[in-house]
Amino acid sequence: MIAMPLATHPVRERRISPHDAADMIMRFREGALPELAIFDVRDAMSFKTVHVPGAQHLTDSSFPTLTRGLTKHTPILVYCYHGNASQVWAQTFVDFRFVEAWSVDGGFEELSAHLGSRQAGRVDPPRATNASAALVSFISAHGFNPDDLDAPRDHGLTPLMRASLLGNVPLADELIRLGVDLDKRNMDGNTAVWMACVSGKAELLRRLAGAGIDLDNRNDMGATSLMFCASAGKTDLVALLLELGADPMITNFDDLRAGDLAASRECLSLLRHTVK
């Protein structure tokens, strides 16, 4: 058996849905997530027969070798048959001071099904055909691919995320009209909504919501944009997100809601009915 460390790390093991695990894998494959380690803890024959592409077979004996090249901040996905043994392994990674260790609920079959659905649902990427001079200049300046306006660049940001981070409403509008994927997530699992909240552009939030973006996306730490705005004391944006339909009852991985994270009396007043 693996020799366990003398002390454990305070970060707890997390379970992840097969949908979110598939999202992480797709973001890694597309370059939005810079690193990811996937481990299969089923028996050797099952792994040899079929496994998630890129996964490595993890056993007690292979653990030291497979983890030697990983940083403690490398996100880790562990799957088994049904999501039980993988929880034990995810806890083992946490005990060895790995910060992000995820056990995939439902195991291999569920994860494979969600990956297959994601891949089957992919369509031709939107292109900068007939784009304005401003958008062409923006794409060039930030090194984006004009033939794939959903392709990420630095920090996993897509053109829509970058335009939102800059608070550029006209560019975001044009990208939406060109059909970009509104719910693409960056390396931290955030979408353009989060970027718009960082820039503080209320009008941009309204445009994104009107186009149908998911206001309640939870990033890889379980935080929503409403939680971010509440914790940053962005009262006007908290009010706007609530007006647009953001859910204040969602909890993060520490079981806290946006109201529990409110950094100002004004934000707390808006969210007081949700505080535990």
Side-chain angles (χ1 to χ4, degrees):
M1 292 293 292
I2 298 170
M4 297 303 294
L6 295 178
T8 58
H9 193 265
V11 177
R12 63 180 174 83
E13 165 267 332
R14 301 186 185 95
R15 291 166 58 182
I16 189 171
S17 72
H19 173 275
D20 288 345
D23 175 79
M24 288 186 73
I25 292 172
M26 294 302 293
R27 280 189 285 138
F28 175 63
R29 292 176 181 175
E30 294 167 356
L33 192 62
E35 56 182 344
L36 178 68
I38 311 168
F39 294 110
D40 184 321
V41 297
R42 299 173 302 155
D43 69 85
M45 183 57 69
S46 295
F47 176 80
K48 184 177 181 180
T49 301
V50 62
H51 59 266
V52 171
Q56 302 177 83
H57 189 225
L58 181 64
T59 64
D60 286 345
S61 60
S62 67
F63 181 88
T65 301
L66 293 179
T67 58
R68 189 171 297 137
L70 301 178
T71 72
K72 297 302 182 182
H73 290 275
T74 300
I76 292 166
L77 291 177
V78 187
Y79 68 84
C80 58
Y81 291 103
H82 304 294
N84 297 317
S86 56
Q87 292 184 50
V88 177
W89 273 105
Q91 184 60 54
T92 298
F93 277 100
V94 171
D95 292 341
F96 275 85
R97 301 182 182 275
F98 286 88
V99 176
E100 286 192 63
W102 307 86
S103 168
V104 182
D105 284 344
F108 171 72
E109 295 294 341
E110 289 287 331
L111 178 57
S112 295
H114 279 82
L115 276 172
S117 177
R118 288 289 300 270
Q119 292 164 345
R122 298 181 75 179
V123 297
D124 291 337
R127 299 179 178 181
T129 306
N130 299 321
S132 68
L135 181 56
V136 171
S137 177
F138 169 78
I139 291 169
S140 176
H142 293 282
F144 289 119
N145 181 358
D147 292 322
D148 185 354
L149 295 179
D150 283 332
R153 288 290 294 166
D154 297 341
H155 307 294
L157 297 184
T158 65
L160 180 61
M161 293 179 202
R162 177 65 70 181
S164 299
L165 185 59
L166 294 173
N168 194 317
V169 177
L171 283 182
D173 272 344
E174 185 172 0
L175 287 163
I176 291 170
R177 288 197 301 271
L178 288 171
V180 297
D181 187 341
L182 300 176
D183 295 314
K184 280 282 188 178
R185 289 153 48 97
N186 72 351
M187 63 180 290
D188 298 313
N190 293 313
T191 69
V193 171
W194 187 285
M195 307 305 156
C197 290
V198 172
S199 69
K201 286 286 187 177
E203 182 58 29
L204 186 50
L205 268 180
R206 290 187 182 277
R207 302 294 180 86
L208 291 168
I213 201 168
D214 179 10
L215 295 174
D216 295 323
N217 173 71
R218 295 203 310 168
N219 66 17
D220 291 345
M221 293 294 104
T224 66
S225 295
L226 182 61
M227 292 177 194
F228 163 65
C229 289
S231 66
K234 293 175 177 279
T235 308
D236 291 346
L237 294 185
V238 169
L240 177 56
L241 283 167
L242 291 173
E243 174 192 327
L244 294 173
D247 187 351
M249 303 304 290
I250 295 173
T251 58
N252 64 11
F253 292 138
D254 293 318
D255 203 30
L256 298 174
R257 297 170 182 159
D260 301 312
L261 301 169
S264 69
R265 290 182 178 179
E266 293 80 8
C267 287
L268 182 58
S269 178
L270 290 168
L271 296 161
R272 65 180 180 274
H273 63 290
T274 69
V275 177
K276 298 176 181 179

